[in-house]
Amino acid sequence: MSDTVDAAVAALAARLGGEGLGGSVKFVIADEGSVRIDEGGVSADDAAADCTITADSDTFQELLAGEPHCQTHVAFMTGRLAIEGDMGLAMRLASALA
């Protein structure tokens, strides 16, 4: 497991404050590993999820930092951020991280 994934687990757990999302989300951080959020919390896990968000490390750091919604939209439209699966769940996560 990478330092980036370890830091992401801690940061997401703190940001979400134990709130559930009504499903599972997996962040795939290119060349680093995966972080999974589900009703049990946040963990470094590569198990399947209802929604998978893939990004490089820099883009993921921007998401964690709470970059404005418009920058996240640009990342998605330019292919720096890919979302597969439950888009409603991705939107709930975006709201929780804002």
Side-chain angles (χ1 to χ4, degrees):
M1 189 173 349
S2 75
D3 291 339
T4 300
V5 170
D6 290 339
V9 169
L12 285 167
R15 295 276 310 270
L16 294 173
E19 285 186 38
L21 298 172
S24 58
V25 176
K26 177 173 62 172
F27 282 105
V28 177
I29 308 166
D31 299 323
E32 299 287 342
S34 298
V35 177
R36 192 169 192 276
I37 304 167
D38 59 24
E39 298 306 319
V42 182
S43 62
D45 189 349
D46 194 36
D50 301 321
C51 177
T52 300
I53 301 171
T54 304
D56 63 24
S57 184
D58 290 338
T59 303
F60 181 74
Q61 294 301 326
E62 291 172 9
L63 290 173
L64 275 184
E67 293 293 328
H69 178 71
C70 61
Q71 286 181 307
T72 303
H73 181 72
V74 169
F76 178 74
M77 295 303 288
T78 60
R80 290 181 35 225
L81 177 72
I83 302 171
E84 295 179 24
D86 188 337
M87 293 298 278
L89 188 55
M91 296 304 290
R92 287 194 297 277
L93 176 62
S95 294
L97 293 177

